[in-house]
Amino acid sequence: MTGVKLTELVEAAGCAAKLAPGYLSQVLADLPRVDDPRLLVGFDASDDAYVYDLGDGRGLVGTTDFFPPMVDDPFLFGQVAAANALSDVWAMGGRPALALNLLCFPNCLGIEIAGQILAGGADKCREAGVIVAGGHSINDHEPKFGLAVTGFVPLDRMLANAGAREGDALVLTKALGTGILTTAYKAQLLDEAGVKVATDSMITLNKYGAEALDGLDVHAATDVTGFSLMGHSCEMAEASGVTLQIRAAEVPVMARAREMAQMGLIPAGAYRNRDFFGPRVEMGGDVPLDLADVLFDPQTSGGLLVALPQVDAETYVGRLRELGQPAAIVGRAAEREAGGCSVSVTM
């Protein structure tokens, strides 16, 4: 098939295609827990990857992620999907080492398109220093691509959702808005130049955000993906037993994301995020609706959300801005009051 855009073949794009968090939580609640002291991190606290103690001071880190395309260029789609999948290992404080391709591909597309998707993924793995060791493919009516990733982490530097402390500053390393901008692009209300701010961000590896933490006193970290800044903030707050206070005016937002939100170009995943996480978020009345929509926007290959002392946070932001990343201190961790919200948002 020629002349068909990848985004025309899918119902949802990128991390916005994830199952609704409410449905997912119900499924996970019914799964049996395996009590193994060497499994240091599982899925109980909604962390980004598992960590298994190798017994030599290192942890084995494993994760997987794949989704339908949010862009039409197959090479670019492969880059974004790979960057997104690799991110989970860096969010745990580790270094990805090996990857397996996961490809779902419709017979109606030329096989050269599949080759370009895989080449895009290989390009980002090469940049990350990761070996692509094989993979698996199946026929599917919608194209999808991602990776299963294995890495390693020194256990004394392992990061997780749990660990944010009262008084910690919160740093967000990338701007928000990928879900809204790619939705506008799919609706043909945003051109290539307009969506480029999103794709440039999505193909930027969180490797650089992770490396910039070297020597700093990091307490907790996660990457911000399909469950939005609000959803991943809730998960960190609840795992850490604190309330995260977010200053909406300080959150970096991609150009035209609020404009598109005002036009109603909101991905379905944002509504699902609001339905599930909204009751745990205290949204200030002075926060404009379009900005609140951005805060619930599902991110594809989003940045890191890191909790660390204020002085280290300032150093971290300085390092990232030298690298050209729009990092900012977006809030702080505070005492969790009985019956209090997980996340509080003010302007």
Side-chain angles (χ1 to χ4, degrees), residues 36-289:
D36 187 328
R38 297 183 70 174
L39 182 63
L40 304 180
V41 179
F43 58 83
D44 295 327
S46 303
D47 278 293
D48 300 293
Y50 71 75
V51 179
Y52 186 82
D53 188 352
L54 293 174
D56 60 0
R58 297 179 302 154
L60 181 71
V61 186
T63 184
T64 187
D65 210 322
F66 63 97
F67 45 56
M70 73 304 297
V71 293
D72 292 315
D73 183 318
F75 185 86
L76 180 59
F77 169 46
Q79 288 182 306
V80 172
N84 181 77
L86 294 167
S87 179
D88 288 341
V89 179
W90 288 309
M92 302 298 295
R95 180 185 62 82
L98 297 162
L100 298 172
N101 288 316
L102 302 172
L103 177 66
C104 305
F105 198 73
N107 288 327
C108 64
L109 289 178
I111 196 63
E112 70 277 2
I113 302 297
Q116 292 172 37
I117 293 171
L118 294 176
D123 177 72
K124 282 295 150 179
C125 286
R126 189 180 306 111
E127 181 182 346
V130 170
I131 299 169
V132 179
H136 184 64
S137 62
I138 61 169
N139 291 322
D140 194 348
H141 68 283
E142 286 190 350
K144 305 176 184 72
F145 177 64
L147 302 173
V149 185
T150 300
F152 302 93
V153 60
L155 294 182
D156 60 355
R157 296 206 297 271
M158 183 183 76
L159 301 175
N161 274 334
R165 304 175 188 175
E166 294 175 28
D168 276 351
L170 304 170
V171 174
L172 181 63
T173 65
K174 290 186 183 182
L176 302 181
T178 65
I180 291 170
L181 292 183
T182 54
T183 296
Y185 174 74
K186 191 173 188 294
Q188 299 183 349
L189 293 173
L190 196 65
D191 59 14
E192 295 287 347
V195 79
K196 189 174 186 296
V197 64
T199 55
D200 284 351
S201 177
M202 289 188 290
I203 64 173
T204 299
L205 296 178
N206 279 327
K207 168 186 178 180
Y208 308 109
E211 290 175 346
L213 289 168
D214 187 45
L216 302 180
D217 183 19
V218 187
H219 296 156
T222 186
D223 62 344
V224 178
T225 54
F227 291 159
S228 75
L229 176 62
M230 292 296 91
H232 291 288
S233 294
C234 281
E235 292 175 344
M236 180 181 287
E238 290 157 11
S240 303
V242 298
T243 292
L244 298 192
Q245 298 175 336
I246 304 295
R247 296 191 300 274
E250 302 299 324
V251 174
V253 177
M254 293 178 180
R256 302 195 69 185
R258 292 184 64 177
E259 175 192 347
M260 296 297 108
Q262 290 169 1
M263 294 171 61
L265 293 164
I266 311 298
Y271 295 109
R272 294 193 294 267
N273 288 338
R274 190 186 288 272
D275 287 344
F276 185 68
F277 294 109
R280 292 132 74 179
V281 175
E282 185 179 274
M283 187 69 65
D286 59 344
V287 179
L289 177 59

